[in-house]
C-alpha cells in the first residue's frame, strides 16, 4: 500500500506531504483545484514521461517520493533479479530538473524508467477514463478472463515455453538460411579441401626439396670437392696428415727436455684424429652423391605441385596451405554437422510445441468453464450500476497459432439495451457504460488478483442516486482487499471513505498554489454538504451530509 506521498515543486504544488491510510481514501476538490496534478505527480514515480514545463520554480528541481509497504506481496525475487535491496518499506523517488533531465530511484538506488514502470505495475492500478479504452483491446480482455479463471500458474509455465519457442524458431530459421548458403559453396569447399588434402603437404617440405634439388643439380662439383678434400688430407704424398705425423714424431724426441711438448703432442693427436674423421666422412659423402635424373624430375614435379598451390591460394608458405586445409575441414564439418544441430533443434521445438499445445488445451478448458461465471458477475454488477438491461458474452475462437497467451482469441461482447444485439464492447458501449463495466471488472478482479493499490480517477462522472451509492459500496468492499483511492465529485463516494482528503487552491502574494490536507469529521460534513448543495451550504445539506456520513461509518 501507499504509506506516504511527498511532492515538491510540481505544477501548482510547492510542497505537500500526505500520510495515506489503509482501506478507502477519497480525494475531493473543485474542478481545477489540482486533483489531476496529484495524479500526474504520482505518475512520475511510475515511470511516465517527465515534462520540465510542469516544474513550478525553474530554479529548483521537482522531487516526488512515494513510500510503499510491500510486505506479503512476494516481491523479493523481483528485487534480487534487478539487483535491488529488498525491504518491506520501499521508497520510490523521481527527480526532474528545469532542463528536462530526469532520474529515478528505488530505495536510493538509481534505476531507469523501465524499472519504475515494472515496479509500478506490481503496486498501483490507476483507473481513469483513458484506461477504460483498454477494454476494447483483445489482449486486455484475455488478461481479464485469465485473472478471473485463476490461470496465473498455467500462463507462467506457458509463457516460459513460448519465449523459448520463439527464440528457437528464430535460431532454426537462421540455421536453415546459413545451411542453404553453405550448401551453395559446399562443392567448391570440398574441391579445395580435396586438392589440399591430396597434396599431402608437410611443413618444411618445400625447403628440403629445394635443397636436395640444388645438391643433385651440382652433384659432380660436390663429388669432386669432397673427394679432393679427402685426398689432400691424407692420400697425397705431402698430405696434411703426413705433415702432422712428422711434426708429432719430432715432438716425441724433445719431451724429456721440453715438457710442454707433451701437451703439444696430445693436441696434434686430436687434430690428426679429427682430420682422418673428416676425410672418411668426405669420402663417404662423395660416394653417396650421384647425379640422378629420375630423382631430379620427381623433385621438380613435386615442387611444381607446391608452387601451383601457393600461387592459387595466394599463400607465402606450405604452413599457410596446411592451415587453410584445416580451416576448410572445420567449415565442412560445420556444414555437415549443421544438419544434426538442426535436427536436434527441430526435436526440441517439437517437444516444446507438444507441451504448449497441452497447456493451451488446459487454458481453453478453464476459460470455457469461467466465461459464463464472469458474464454472470458482470451482468449483475453493471445492472446494480444502472445498466438495467446489460447482457454480456465472452467468445472464444481458435487463433490458429501460438500467441503469448495460448491459442484462443478472446472477445467481449456487450449490450446495454433491450433487444439490442450483442456487439464488441468498444463499439456499442458509451463512455459512461464502459467506465461502469470497467469498475465491475476491477471489482471482480480485486478478489482474484493481488494488487496493493487501485486509484479511481473521476469514473463517477454523470452518476447519481442509487447508482452512485452502489458504486461507493463496491469501492468500499474492494477496500477490504486492497488500498482504494478515489478522486470523486459524488457525495455518496466521498462519504464512503474512511479517510477524506481535500485539494484546494491558495493564493500567496506572488502565485496560486494547490494544497491537500486530510479533513476532520466536521470538515468532511461541510465538504460533503457543499458537494450536495453547491456554494451556498444550507442547514438541510449539512444534516443530510452528516446522516450520509453516519450511515457509511456504521457500514465501515
Amino acid at each position: 500500500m501507499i504509506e506516504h506521498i511527498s511532492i515538491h515543486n510540481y505544477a501548482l504544488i510547492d510542497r505537500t506531504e500526505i500520510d495515506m491510510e489503509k482501506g478507502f481514501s477519497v480525494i475531493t476538490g473543485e474542478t481545477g483545484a489540482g486533483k489531476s496534478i496529484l495524479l500526474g505527480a504520482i505518475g512520475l514515480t511510475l515511470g511516465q514521461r517527465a515534462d520540465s514545463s510542469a516544474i513550478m520554480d525553474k530554479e529548483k528541481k521537482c522531487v516526488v517520493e512515494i513510500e510503499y509497504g510491500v510486505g506479503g506481496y512476494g516481491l523479493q525475487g523481483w528485487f534480487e533479479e534487478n539487483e535491488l535491496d529488498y525491504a518491506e518499506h520501499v521508497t520510490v523517488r523521481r527527480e526532474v530538473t528545469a532542463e528536462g533531465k530526469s532520474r529515478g530511484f528505488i530505495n536510493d538506488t538509481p534505476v531507469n524508467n523501465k524499472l519504475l514502470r515494472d515496479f509500478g505495475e506490481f503496486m498501483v492500478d490507476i483507473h481513469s477514463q483513458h484506461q477504460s479504452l483498454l477494454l476494447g483491446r483483445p489482449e486486455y480482455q484475455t488478461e481479464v478472463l485469465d485473472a478471473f479463471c485463476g490461470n496465473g500458474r498455467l500462463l507462467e509455465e506457458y509463457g516460459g515455453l513460448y519465449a523459448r519457442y520463439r527464440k528457437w524458431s528464430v535460431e532454426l530459421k537462421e540455421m536453415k538460411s546459413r545451411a542453404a548458403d553453405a550448401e551453395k559453396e559446399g562443392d567448391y569447399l570440398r574441391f579445395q579441401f580435396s586438392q589440399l588434402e591430396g597434396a599431402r603437404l608437410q611443413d618444411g617440405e618445400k625447403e628440403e626439396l629445394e635443397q636436395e634439388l640444388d645438391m643433385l643439380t651440382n652433384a659432380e662439383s660436390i663429388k669432386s670437392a669432397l673427394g679432393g678434400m679427402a685426398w689432400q688430407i691424407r692420400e697425397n704424398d705431402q698430405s696434411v696428415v703426413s705433415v702432422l705425423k712428422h711434426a708429432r714424431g719430432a715432438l716425441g724426441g724433445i719431451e724429456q727436455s721440453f715438457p710442454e711438448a707433451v701437451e703439444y703432442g696430445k693436441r696434434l693427436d686430436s687434430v690428426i684424429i679429427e682430420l682422418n674423421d673428416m676425410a672418411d666422412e668426405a669420402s663417404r659423402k662423395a660416394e653417396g652423391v650421384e647425379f640422378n635424373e629420375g630423382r631430379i624430375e620427381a623433385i621438380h614435379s613435386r615442387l611444381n605441385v607446391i608452387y601451383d598451390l601457393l600461387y592459387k591460394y595466394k599463400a607465402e608458405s606450405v604452413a599457410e596451405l596446411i592451415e587453410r586445409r584445416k580451416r576448410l575441414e572445420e567449415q565442412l564439418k560445420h556444414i555437415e554437422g549443421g544438419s544434426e544441430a538442426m535436427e536436434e533443434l527441430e526435436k526440441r521445438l517439437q517437444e516444446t510445441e507438444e507441451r504448449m499445445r497441452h497447456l493451451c488445451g488446459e487454458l481453453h478448458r478453464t476459460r470455457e468453464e469461467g466465461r459464463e461465471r464472469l458474464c454472470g458477475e458482470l451482468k449483475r454488477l453493471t445492472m446494480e450500476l444502472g445498466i438495467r438491461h446489460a447482457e454480456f458474452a465472452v467468445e472464444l475462437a481458435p487463433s490458429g497459432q501460438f500467441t503469448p497467451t495460448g491459442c484462443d482469441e478472446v472477445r467481449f461482447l456487450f449490450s446495454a439495451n433491450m433487444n439490442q444485439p450483442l456487439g464488441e464492447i468498444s463499439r456499442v458501449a458509451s463512455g459512461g457504460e464502459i467506465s461502469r463495466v470497467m469498475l465491475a471488472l476491477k471489482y471482480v478482479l480485486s478478489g482474484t488478483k493481488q494488487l496493493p493499490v487501485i486509484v479511481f480517477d473521476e469514473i463517477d462522472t454523470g452518476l447519481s442516486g442509487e447508482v452512485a451509492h452502489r458504486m461507493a459500496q463496491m469501492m468500499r468492499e474492494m477496500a477490504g482487499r486492497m488500498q482504494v483511492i478515489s478522486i470523486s465529485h459524488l457525495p455518496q463516494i466521498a462519504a464512503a471513505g474512511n479517510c477524506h482528503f481535500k485539494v484546494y487552491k491558495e493564493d500567496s502574494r506572488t502565485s496560486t498554489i494547490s494544497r491537500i490536507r486530510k479533513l476532520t469529521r466536521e470538515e468532511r460534513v461541510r465538504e460533503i454538504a457543499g458537494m450536495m448543495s453547491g456554494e451556498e451550504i444550507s442547514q438541510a445539506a449539512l444534516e443530510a451530509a452528516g446522516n450520509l456520513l453516519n450511515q457509511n461509518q456504521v457500514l465501515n
Side-chain angles (χ1 to χ4, degrees):
M1 61 167 282
I2 295 176
E3 297 176 336
H4 184 77
I5 300 174
S6 173
I7 303 171
H8 294 179
N9 197 34
Y10 181 78
L12 296 179
I13 300 175
D14 59 346
R15 183 183 184 91
T16 290
E17 304 286 337
I18 311 169
D19 289 317
M20 302 300 296
E21 297 184 8
K22 292 181 180 179
F24 184 18
S25 297
V26 293
I27 300 174
T28 62
E30 296 178 0
T31 301
K35 299 186 295 298
S36 60
I37 294 174
L38 178 64
L39 278 183
I42 294 173
L44 283 179
T45 67
L46 303 179
Q48 294 179 6
R49 189 177 68 86
D51 186 357
S52 60
S53 64
I55 296 178
M56 185 177 188
D57 184 348
K58 303 300 182 182
E59 300 298 318
K60 302 175 184 177
K61 63 184 176 183
C62 162
V63 180
V64 182
E65 278 190 356
I66 296 185
E67 295 175 20
Y68 293 95
V70 300
Y73 292 105
L75 294 179
Q76 293 94 327
W78 183 85
F79 274 78
E80 290 175 7
E81 181 183 338
N82 291 286
E83 299 180 354
L84 296 169
D85 294 331
Y86 175 78
E88 291 196 351
H89 298 277
V90 174
T91 299
V92 179
R93 184 170 79 255
R94 185 84 177 274
E95 299 177 356
V96 184
T97 67
E99 293 77 25
K101 295 180 180 178
S102 167
R103 296 195 304 166
F105 301 85
I106 295 180
N107 282 344
D108 291 324
T109 299
V111 296
N112 57 31
N113 281 352
K114 181 182 180 302
L115 276 186
L116 289 179
R117 286 193 294 270
D118 289 348
F119 179 74
E121 287 177 1
F122 288 124
M123 301 304 299
V124 183
D125 179 6
I126 296 181
H127 177 80
S128 61
Q129 291 182 348
H130 171 72
Q131 197 205 34
S132 296
L133 299 176
L134 287 173
L135 191 54
R137 293 168 52 186
E139 57 268 29
Y140 182 76
Q141 295 175 1
T142 306
E143 180 185 342
V144 167
L145 180 59
D146 282 327
F148 181 77
C149 295
N151 285 338
R153 183 191 60 79
L154 285 174
L155 285 170
E156 184 178 357
E157 183 180 356
Y158 174 84
L161 292 172
Y162 179 76
R164 291 198 291 273
Y165 174 79
R166 291 285 302 273
K167 178 175 176 287
W168 290 342
S169 295
V170 171
E171 287 180 8
L172 182 60
K173 183 178 180 181
E174 291 175 350
M175 287 175 68
K176 287 182 176 180
S177 177
R178 287 196 301 269
D181 292 339
E183 193 59 35
K184 291 177 184 176
E185 62 174 349
D187 291 341
Y188 181 57
L189 295 177
R190 291 186 187 93
F191 168 76
Q192 288 184 321
F193 175 76
S194 177
Q195 191 177 45
L196 291 172
E197 178 72 7
R200 306 286 181 186
L201 297 170
Q202 300 294 325
D203 194 11
E205 177 186 12
K206 171 176 167 289
E207 291 74 18
E208 290 177 6
L209 289 173
E210 288 173 337
Q211 185 178 358
E212 184 183 356
L213 179 63
D214 190 41
M215 184 183 70
L216 290 173
T217 303
N218 297 281
E220 293 301 326
S221 298
I222 295 170
K223 191 177 184 69
S224 175
L226 290 174
M229 183 182 76
W231 186 78
Q232 291 289 348
I233 290 174
R234 67 181 180 187
E235 302 297 334
N236 188 7
D237 291 339
Q238 295 296 319
S239 68
V240 176
V241 171
S242 297
V243 172
L244 292 176
K245 282 183 177 180
H246 181 73
R248 176 71 180 88
L251 287 172
I254 64 172
E255 287 180 354
Q256 292 295 327
S257 55
F258 186 65
E260 292 180 19
V262 175
E263 180 62 27
Y264 289 154
K266 290 179 180 179
R267 290 167 69 181
L268 279 174
D269 288 342
S270 297
V271 171
I272 291 168
I273 291 171
E274 179 66 22
L275 287 171
N276 278 320
D277 286 344
M278 288 177 64
D280 288 342
E281 187 174 337
S283 295
R284 288 194 303 273
K285 291 286 186 182
E287 290 175 3
V289 176
E290 295 289 345
F291 178 79
N292 187 333
E293 187 174 353
R295 177 58 182 163
I296 290 174
E297 289 180 1
I299 292 174
H300 273 302
S301 176
R302 179 61 176 169
L303 284 173
N304 284 338
V305 169
I306 294 173
Y307 293 150
D308 286 345
L309 291 173
L310 289 170
Y311 176 78
K312 179 176 181 178
Y313 294 105
K314 296 180 175 57
E316 296 291 330
S317 66
V318 172
E320 285 187 35
L321 292 174
I322 293 172
E323 183 60 33
R324 185 180 184 89
R325 182 195 68 201
K326 291 178 180 178
R327 289 200 305 269
L328 287 168
E329 186 176 18
E330 289 300 317
Q331 285 178 277
L332 289 170
K333 282 181 180 178
H334 182 72
I335 291 172
E336 291 162 4
S339 60
E340 296 178 6
M342 281 193 289
E343 288 175 5
E344 175 62 27
L345 189 54
E346 285 174 338
K347 180 181 177 182
R348 278 189 284 164
L349 270 171
Q350 184 177 1
E351 292 172 351
T352 303
E353 283 184 18
E354 290 175 0
R355 181 58 185 159
M356 289 170 66
R357 199 168 286 111
H358 171 75
L359 290 173
C360 285
E362 286 293 298
L363 286 166
H364 180 77
R365 181 183 60 78
T366 59
R367 289 165 181 165
E368 281 284 4
E369 292 174 355
R371 61 176 179 168
E372 291 301 327
R373 289 189 291 110
L374 175 61
C375 290
E377 280 290 291
L378 291 177
K379 179 177 179 178
R380 177 181 65 82
L381 291 169
T382 50
M383 288 177 68
E384 292 175 359
L385 289 172
I387 308 177
R388 294 187 301 157
H389 302 292
E391 292 291 342
F392 284 91
V394 176
E395 281 190 349
L396 292 179
S399 63
Q401 60 183 348
F402 293 119
T403 72
T405 53
C407 294
D408 289 328
E409 287 183 354
V410 177
R411 196 164 67 121
F412 281 20
L413 303 179
F414 172 71
S415 171
N417 304 304
M418 291 181 63
N419 300 320
Q420 177 186 2
L422 292 167
E424 291 184 24
I425 194 166
S426 59
R427 297 183 179 222
V428 301
S430 66
E433 289 167 344
I434 288 180
S435 291
R436 282 176 273 180
V437 171
M438 282 294 286
L439 174 61
L441 281 173
K442 300 290 185 182
Y443 178 85
V444 170
L445 296 181
S446 68
T448 60
K449 189 176 180 181
Q450 190 182 43
L451 188 71
V453 186
I454 186 166
V455 179
F456 291 106
D457 180 19
E458 298 185 352
I459 67 163
D460 50 31
T461 302
L463 301 183
S464 61
E466 186 58 32
V467 174
H469 175 74
R470 178 55 181 141
M471 181 176 284
Q473 187 181 34
M474 289 171 63
M475 290 182 182
R476 189 170 55 242
E477 291 170 4
M478 291 172 67
R481 300 184 282 268
M482 60 176 60
Q483 185 182 44
V484 177
I485 302 170
S486 178
I487 298 173
S488 176
H489 291 289
L490 289 181
Q492 293 92 333
I493 292 177
N498 58 287
C499 183
H500 189 158
F501 295 91
K502 180 177 180 178
V503 178
Y504 59 97
K505 286 183 178 179
E506 186 177 89
D507 292 330
S508 68
R509 288 181 300 174
T510 57
S511 62
T512 298
I513 55 178
S514 288
R515 300 286 191 198
I516 182 170
R517 63 184 178 85
K518 183 179 178 182
L519 301 181
T520 64
R521 173 179 166 75
E522 291 73 20
E523 290 171 331
R524 288 189 71 180
V525 170
R526 190 161 189 84
E527 175 72 7
I528 294 169
M531 296 170 74
M532 289 177 169
S533 63
E535 191 171 338
E536 295 294 331
I537 301 176
S538 63
Q539 184 62 35
L542 289 171
E543 291 177 1
N547 291 334
L548 184 59
L549 197 56
N550 288 335
Q551 292 170 10
N552 280 285
Q553 285 181 338
V554 170
L555 291 173
N556 285 332

